[in-house]
Amino acid sequence: DAGVIQSPRHEVTEMGQEVTLRCKLISGHNSLFWYRQTMMRGLELLIYFNNNVPIDDSGMPEDRFSAKMPNASFSTLKIQPSEPRDSAVYFCALRGPEAIYEQYFGPGTRLTVT
Amino acid sequence: AQTVTQSQPEMSVQEAETVTLSCTYDTSESDYYLFWYKQPPSRQMILVIRQEAYKQQNATENRFSVNFQKAAKSFSLKISDSQLGDAAMYFCAYRSARGGGKLIFGQGTELSVKP
């Protein structure tokens, strides 16, 4: 158990709707990462935070995507409006304590936009 | 930009046998880290093994070991005494020693284990 809880585990929504994915860390961590996994593009980083501040959001596809980390234990990824091409598995990950900074992933949220 | 390539989309191994999954990467950096992650059907990403580029000794974790060839930019994963539970997608990942920790993943290799 990496100490990462994601909700919901599955989300089905219609195109144009707002979607909010949530990530809760059992204990506070300095760094948090959001990844997206699709068949076409594989696993790719969307954004990561350090000390609750977004450091690299170059992977965020477009303005429809936004992410926040209001405290060391919680983050959200919002898509508004959602599109079918946003269908993917979204992972939240935290950085390990050792210098090598390995990352531990949550169980993921499978998003389907119809 | 760094890239990671896994040239074997699928691999198969007999239970109790040994299998090696290949990974190559491209980087101009000298200091970095490499990882293998396992993704079973549950889709949970599980860290299998890690390697610091500055270490010449290959990492080992129980039945899992790597063959790290820095000059060749190769990082293969060897699974010994394969078990049915080893069946999964395996991803090779690269992380620069600079910056905050973005992982760059390969395309994955799907490993099946035959009883």
Side-chain angles (χ1 to χ4, degrees), chain A residues 9-10 33 35 37 43 45 48 89 91 95 98-108 110, chain B residues 33-35 37 39 42-45 47 50-52 91 95 99-106:
Chain A
R9 294 295 307 277
H10 304 272
F33 304 79
Y35 289 88
Q37 184 178 28
L43 276 154
L45 178 74
Y48 83 86
V89 179
F91 289 100
R95 193 169 70 187
E98 299 183 29
I100 192 172
Y101 293 152
E102 70 277 12
Q103 292 177 21
Y104 297 98
F105 286 71
R110 179 176 292 280
Chain B
Y33 305 103
L34 297 165
F35 307 88
Y37 281 86
Q39 186 177 40
S42 67
R43 78 169 177 255
Q44 176 77 52
M45 293 289 288
L47 178 65
R50 59 193 187 186
Q51 174 80 42
E52 295 94 324
F91 292 94
R95 186 183 85 74
K102 172 182 178 179
L103 287 174
I104 299 171
F105 287 90

Side-chain angles (χ1 to χ4, degrees), chain A residues 7-81:
Chain A
S7 61
R9 294 295 307 277
H10 304 272
E11 177 79 26
V12 180
T13 190
E14 293 183 347
M15 181 175 63
Q17 297 297 306
E18 176 181 300
V19 176
T20 299
L21 310 181
R22 296 175 175 80
C23 177
K24 178 178 172 58
L25 308 181
I26 299 301
S27 57
H29 288 265
N30 289 333
S31 295
L32 181 144
F33 304 79
W34 281 100
Y35 289 88
R36 179 172 69 175
Q37 184 178 28
T38 62
M39 289 293 293
M40 290 295 292
R41 300 176 64 91
L43 276 154
E44 53 184 348
L45 178 74
L46 297 177
I47 186 171
Y48 83 86
F49 294 84
N50 192 38
N51 291 326
N52 307 343
V53 176
I55 301 301
D56 181 357
D57 64 355
S58 59
M60 295 287 264
E62 48 198 270
D63 292 346
R64 298 185 298 107
F65 285 68
S66 63
K68 294 181 180 180
M69 189 172 184
N71 58 60
S73 299
F74 186 72
S75 177
T76 59
L77 178 67
K78 183 180 294 186
I79 308 172
Q80 165 63 21

